[in-house]
Amino acid sequence: MSYNILCQKLVKRTMFPYANKSSLKWKTRRPRLLSEFSYLMPDIMCLQEVYTKNWIDTYDMWFKREGYGSQMFQSVYKSHGVSISWKKSQFKPIDQLCLRMDQTASVCDETLKTDNIALIVVLQFIGSDNDSTSGLIISNTHLYWKPSGCYERLQQQILLQRGLKTMQDKYPEYPVISCGDYNTTPDDAGYDLLTKPRPVKLNEWQLDNLLPQSLHEDLSESEDGSDKETENQPLSYSEMASLGTSGETKDAQNKRRKLEQEEREAEAQLVRDTKRVNNLVATLQSESKPFKSCYATYADLDPTYRTEQWPGEPIYTNYSLWKGTLDYIFYAPENGLSVRELLSLPPEEQLKPGIPNDTFASDHVSLAVRFDLAE
């Protein structure tokens, strides 16, 4: 199971204007979340946006009472993190790796500027102490949230893949399952690079979205969005063009030269940033094998979740002011792992106009998969 449970500290009325006041309060959300956990009772549960305070006073105690072992990890800069819990009757943890995707990490000689994390836990099946092939590698992450941060998320994906590779080298027979809120839609470059056979050919739109945010700054506007042109400029650009440079005033000439310099700098920055993007794309493809997404064909099972924007994946896993798919359960098809069953997603009528509501405690819906593991 993978579930972004919505950190209580992040709940603001302005984020969920459609929700009634009661559905946003912790005393209301808490029993609904625990009820959902109790109903599903998965063997392994991966949670994102786990508020530290609520982990201590609620989640950790619930997991212990229900017979789960758990590991929780958070960024030192945030009030929430991710957790992986497992039924102690079926698994025992034998290894783990905590990944910090912040200023302490670098990818392709660039230091990261984000504050995200990932947690990897290696679980061995109970009763298989002498069987080195009987276990699972589980990862859980919550990647950078800004829609324009595709470049930063690609850096983070590389770090996660490297962490998984470290564990795969130690436990080569263990299947890999990677859960999380990837903050990546199925039409993003990041999704294709995670799931498609190599080499992946990205379209122009995907490549453009991968460019670092610095390139998308509007050089013609000031910080408050106002036009930099002043009333003292005697000629418009069209007037200057008709007269030629000989007709320019000194102010107009300075402005033209400044604009030309900005254009040259932007072109040079585009060349540098395109090289950075190509380097990241090549690195991810060379260092990892493609995953499969468990819900990649969900729309075939439930056509009400189909969208022309992306085939297969559900039309949404997040249903708030913005609606779309951000959450995934990926797995490596090697080592005998295959999908048997998927948890059905709720009908849209139960979610309108948005969640949280009187039934659902988070702005995301939970995903759950039943796997078969070949002997």
Side-chain angles (χ1 to χ4, degrees):
M1 173 183 176
S2 184
Y3 194 9
N4 181 327
I5 56 176
L6 180 59
C7 172
Q8 186 62 32
K9 191 172 183 178
L10 301 181
V11 176
K12 308 294 182 186
R13 188 75 180 132
T14 53
M15 294 174 57
F16 310 106
Y18 51 78
N20 61 60
K21 191 176 296 185
S22 173
S23 63
L24 298 180
K25 291 182 177 179
W26 175 239
K27 67 177 183 180
T28 305
R29 295 184 60 237
R30 179 183 182 276
R32 289 175 182 163
L33 286 168
L34 296 183
S35 176
E36 189 167 1
F37 297 170
S38 298
Y39 177 76
L40 294 174
M41 289 297 283
D43 297 335
I44 300 170
M45 194 181 310
C46 296
L47 303 179
Q48 304 90 41
E49 284 198 24
V50 181
Y51 185 22
T52 308
K53 178 180 180 297
N54 295 149
W55 176 260
I56 295 171
D57 65 28
T58 299
Y59 301 125
D60 190 36
M61 291 189 294
W62 185 90
F63 281 122
K64 288 177 178 176
R65 186 173 64 248
E66 298 298 329
Y68 285 85
S70 298
Q71 180 65 43
M72 189 262 192
F73 179 53
Q74 70 176 92
S75 166
V76 295
Y77 305 105
K78 293 186 177 182
S79 60
H80 59 89
V82 299
S83 69
I84 299 177
S85 303
W86 56 90
K87 285 185 177 179
K88 293 193 292 184
S89 61
Q90 298 192 38
F91 302 99
K92 67 176 181 179
I94 59 172
D95 209 344
Q96 70 174 48
L97 181 62
C98 298
L99 297 175
R100 293 179 60 183
M101 302 171 177
D102 57 20
Q103 292 84 348
T104 65
S106 64
V107 174
C108 298
D109 299 321
E110 289 188 42
T111 300
L112 271 67
K113 299 179 181 180
T114 51
D115 297 322
N116 297 83
I117 55 166
L119 174 64
I120 304 174
V121 173
V122 181
L123 300 174
Q124 189 176 70
F125 288 103
I126 293 295
S128 59
D129 293 353
N130 299 321
D131 184 358
S132 62
T133 66
S134 189
L136 298 169
I137 299 172
I138 308 294
S139 75
N140 187 18
T141 192
H142 188 185
L143 299 187
Y144 188 50
W145 68 274
K146 285 191 175 181
S148 58
C150 294
Y151 183 85
E152 288 76 14
R153 282 189 290 276
L154 193 58
Q155 290 178 312
Q156 295 174 348
Q157 286 180 204
I158 291 173
L159 282 178
L160 176 57
Q161 292 297 326
R162 288 175 176 174
L164 288 169
K165 177 74 164 52
T166 297
M167 290 306 192
Q168 286 177 293
D169 288 344
K170 294 175 69 174
Y171 308 94
E173 303 298 327
Y174 283 24
V176 173
I177 301 172
S178 186
C179 302
D181 178 349
Y182 278 73
N183 273 313
T184 299
T185 55
D187 55 351
D188 282 344
Y191 179 89
D192 283 357
L193 290 168
L194 276 173
T195 60
K196 288 191 174 181
R198 279 70 172 112
V200 179
K201 183 173 177 58
L202 301 176
N203 61 46
E204 185 177 346
W205 177 83
Q206 291 174 318
L207 288 170
D208 184 62
N209 282 342
L210 276 177
L211 291 171
Q213 295 183 49
S214 59
L215 190 64
H216 297 284
E217 294 174 356
D218 188 347
L219 300 178
S220 68
E221 290 186 349
S222 62
E223 291 182 0
D224 62 0
S226 59
D227 196 333
K228 286 184 178 180
E229 293 186 28
T230 64
E231 295 178 357
N232 296 326
Q233 181 178 322
L235 296 176
S236 68
Y237 286 116
S238 60
E239 290 170 330
M240 285 191 288
S242 64
L243 292 172
T245 56
S246 61
E248 289 180 335
T249 65
K250 186 176 181 179
D251 285 345
Q253 187 180 69
N254 289 338
K255 186 173 182 65
R256 176 178 57 79
R257 288 174 177 172
K258 182 179 179 182
L259 179 61
E260 290 172 348
Q261 178 62 27
E262 289 175 345
E263 289 175 346
R264 286 193 294 270
E265 291 175 356
E267 289 173 359
Q269 184 67 49
L270 175 58
V271 172
R272 291 193 297 270
D273 286 348
T274 299
K275 184 177 180 180
R276 292 163 65 194
V277 167
N278 290 337
N279 194 17
L280 282 187
V281 169
T283 298
L284 181 59
Q285 295 198 67
S286 65
E287 294 186 5
S288 65
K289 295 180 180 180
F291 280 145
K292 286 190 175 181
S293 171
C294 294
Y295 278 78
T297 58
Y298 185 79
D300 295 334
L301 305 175
D302 184 354
T304 63
Y305 269 77
R306 187 178 301 282
T307 172
E308 293 182 0
Q309 191 171 0
W310 50 75
E313 292 282 355
I315 191 171
Y316 50 76
T317 61
N318 175 282
Y319 204 92
S320 53
L321 289 178
W322 181 89
K323 299 168 178 62
T325 294
L326 302 173
D327 308 275
Y328 304 92
I329 300 177
F330 295 114
Y331 71 100
E334 301 87 6
N335 298 335
L337 202 61
S338 60
V339 174
R340 187 203 303 179
E341 294 177 335
L342 299 176
L343 176 68
S344 296
L345 302 182
E348 188 172 10
E349 289 301 320
Q350 296 181 13
L351 307 179
K352 290 180 178 180
I355 51 176
N357 59 20
D358 290 336
T359 303
F360 297 93
S362 175
D363 54 338
H364 293 246
V365 295
S366 59
L367 305 178
V369 181
R370 188 184 302 277
F371 288 100
D372 281 330
L373 182 58
E375 296 292 338

